[in-house]
Amino acid sequence: MKKRTLIQALGLAALASASGLSLAQQQPFKIGLILPMTGQQATTGRQIEAATRLWIAQNGDTVAGRKVQVILKDDTSLPDVTRRLAQELVVNDKVDVLAGMGITPSAMSVGPIATQSKTPLVVMAAATSSITEASPYIVRTSFTLPQASVALADWAPKNGLKTVVTLVSDYGPGLDAEKFFKDRFLFNGGKVPETLRVPMRNPDFAPFLQKVRDLKPDALFVFVPSGAGAAVMKQFLERGMDKAGIRLIGTGDVTDDDQLNDMGDGALGVVTSHHYSAAHPSAANKKFVEAFEKANKGLRPNFMAVGGYDGMRVIYEALKKTNGKGGGDALLAGMKGQLFESPRGPMFIDAQTRDVVQNIYLRKVEKKNGQLYNVEFDVIKDVKDPGKSR
Ligand code: DHB
């Protein structure tokens, strides 16, 4: 150390101890937020970024004496880019927490970095069950596909749907959705004549939907990632599948609040299961939706936004519990076991699995005040990820 910098450092240290804060605590608390801001999953990035901004606007940018700084990076939803950005954020920016993760491959690629650097990684979007097993430093505030899919597999046979064909995006969350829907539906006495998988990148649904039309099941169960639902809906309707007596059901990713209102009346009556609807009837959600729309030119928050908003809460509360000190292990301990009311309803970070325990709602697309919404009509309370009990 040069003499001057040493003297400066000593001066800072004296100041710091006078104010009761350690040197580290005078540094900003850095959150490295990696999201797909461009490319195929850009709506996920836009929703989560808006939600984190809203959280900070409502809760301030100082927590337990620490200034909070969010460093946003665009990974374009390419996992190699996510990994490189995470490495840079940890090594160069010395972030206290990593967050975001628009898709499963991104979250998986960062797992080893979180472990090696002991940096908590708050997964706000990605939803394959096994993600939380990729590092003991991962905490999830989104949902899991098994959580959402099992609920629908219980609902379907009680509502006249005896044969269902599944159509999923061919990667982690899609394979989870297919497996957990199918196993439970078969267990409940249903039949699954075909399981179809469509490429995750630039999917063409047409040939798959043609096949479904020929098979003529009672319903088609769909999982596609956020942003792809409108294309599925459009082609489903264009092919007259609904008129041919095939019902569309799926996880709430299909009737995504980000796109639902533009899907048209053909979407009316579609039943899905999910952890969040912008129409969730609680005071906390009404406040969240109004504030989000106001801050974002009328953009309706979707389930990605709520994952980002709650992720910020989990980080803020953990930092408070360390009295502003931070530190990877202390923050992680502060994240585990958090229980609070989210705009989605009650939610809990299971200390054992670091995964989210939450209500799963059955919803039907209905018109409310001239707009399409996922209106909740039933709830399965406090659902743990069924993928964890394997
Ligand atoms: C994942 C991505 C999505 O957009 C979604 O709706 C669900 C899961 C994922 O890659 O894990």
Side-chain angles (χ1 to χ4, degrees), residues 84-98:
R84 177 174 57 74
L85 292 172
Q87 190 82 38
E88 289 171 6
L89 284 165
V90 166
V91 174
N92 302 341
D93 297 294
K94 309 210 165 21
V95 295
D96 297 278
V97 171
L98 288 163

Side-chain angles (χ1 to χ4, degrees), residues 35-48 74-78 101-106 125 169 171 200-203 223-228 256 258 302-304:
L35 293 170
M37 299 308 297
T38 54
Q40 190 175 303
Q41 304 309 123
T43 58
T44 295
R46 180 180 61 171
Q47 286 272 351
I48 295 181
D74 176 13
D75 69 2
T76 70
S77 85
L78 295 176
M101 308 294 122
I103 56 169
T104 290
S106 293
S169 256
Y171 78 118
M200 192 250 172
R201 304 269 173 204
N202 308 312
F223 164 80
V224 287
S226 185
D256 189 341
D258 190 78
N302 70 357
F303 61 100
M304 294 302 186

Side-chain angles (χ1 to χ4, degrees), residues 141-196:
T141 58
S142 51
F143 74 109
T144 80
L145 267 307
Q147 266 178 340
S149 305
V150 164
L152 200 59
D154 284 340
W155 175 85
K158 291 189 222 142
N159 288 274
L161 307 178
K162 304 293 181 205
T163 59
V164 176
V165 170
T166 61
L167 171 63
V168 301
S169 256
D170 191 5
Y171 78 118
L175 305 187
D176 267 4
E178 177 192 285
K179 176 178 168 35
F180 282 83
F181 179 86
K182 183 180 169 188
D183 287 359
R184 184 67 155 239
F185 189 62
L186 293 178
F187 175 80
N188 287 333
K191 288 200 176 62
V192 179
E194 187 81 79
T195 54
L196 303 169

